[in-house]
């Protein structure tokens, strides 16, 4: 890219925003079958899990970059805003996907994780349209671009669910 995909302040803001729901994972509602018996750390499991979901994430990063640059031909400010929104939203949603072996919609997250996720998602979507947008290097996006980002995010969740299902079929805990 001839420009930074996100400004340093946007990267820090992404980390800051997503830390709130992530902290709530410590008090999350865990699926009953995960606490029925003691479990040991399995480094091979963790490594394979990271490779699986890292690959899915990378595919969607490239897809988003390609759509924004090669298909939609967005400018630098729109790119950064779109990438910021996509990064925060997918990080929020992947927490809900990987916290359970079940489909994410069949496993109820803890109250604070759910509230934190919803609040951060709303704040994130509103930031480009708020008075803070200029100091943060964000710009309002056209509705069609928001719909495209929503579609990519939805596909990312579906692909992550499919990868999770395939992963747990191959791996026994």
């Amino acid at each position: 890219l001839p420009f930074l995909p996100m400004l340093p302040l946007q990267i820090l803001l992404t980390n800051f925003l997503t830390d709130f729901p992530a902290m709530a994972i410590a008090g999350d509602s865990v699926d009953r079958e995960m606490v029925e018996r003691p479990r040991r750390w399995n480094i091979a499991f963790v490594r394979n899990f990271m490779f699986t979901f890292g690959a899915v994430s990378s595919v969607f990063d490239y897809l988003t970059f390609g759509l924004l640059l090669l298909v939609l031909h967005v400018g630098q400010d729109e790119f950064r805003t779109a990438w910021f929104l996509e990064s925060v939203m997918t990080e929020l949603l992947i927490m809900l996907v990987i916290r359970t072996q079940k489909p994410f919609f069949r496993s109820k997250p803890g109250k604070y994780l759910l509230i934190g996720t919803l609040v951060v998602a709303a704040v994130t979507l509103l930031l480009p349209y708020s008075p803070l947008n200029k100091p943060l290097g964000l710009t309002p996006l056209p509705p069609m671009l928001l719909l495209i980002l929503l579609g990519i995010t939805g596909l990312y969740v579906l692909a992550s669910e499919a990868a999770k299902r395939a992963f747990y079929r191959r791996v026994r805990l």
Side-chain angles (χ1 to χ4, degrees), residues 12-72:
L12 290 171
L13 183 59
T14 298
N15 292 335
F16 179 73
L17 289 171
T18 57
D19 280 351
F20 285 106
M23 286 188 293
I25 287 177
D28 189 22
S29 301
V30 180
D31 295 334
R32 173 171 278 138
E33 57 272 11
M34 294 305 295
V35 293
E36 287 177 341
R37 62 181 171 83
R39 298 184 186 270
R40 294 188 154 293
W41 280 99
N42 179 338
I43 298 304
F45 171 86
V46 173
R47 182 195 62 231
N48 293 336
F49 193 87
M50 289 178 0
F51 282 139
T52 299
F53 288 94
V56 172
S57 178
S58 294
V59 166
F60 278 88
D61 288 347
Y62 289 121
L63 172 67
T64 304
F65 268 51
L67 277 171
L68 292 174
L69 295 171
L70 305 174
V71 176
L72 302 172

Side-chain angles (χ1 to χ4, degrees), residues 81-99:
T81 301
W83 187 243
F84 169 77
L85 292 176
E86 178 78 6
S87 295
V88 174
M89 299 308 284
T90 55
E91 190 170 336
L92 292 172
L93 291 171
I94 199 67
M95 273 193 286
L96 299 178
V97 170
I98 66 172
R99 59 173 282 283

Side-chain angles (χ1 to χ4, degrees), residues 31 93-109 154 157-158 160-161 164:
D31 295 334
L93 291 171
I94 199 67
M95 273 193 286
L96 299 178
V97 170
I98 66 172
R99 59 173 282 283
T100 178
Q101 289 183 31
K102 299 176 184 177
F104 81 96
F105 53 86
R106 289 203 176 132
S107 176
K108 186 179 176 189
V157 169
L158 292 174
S160 296
E161 279 291 338
K164 179 173 69 175

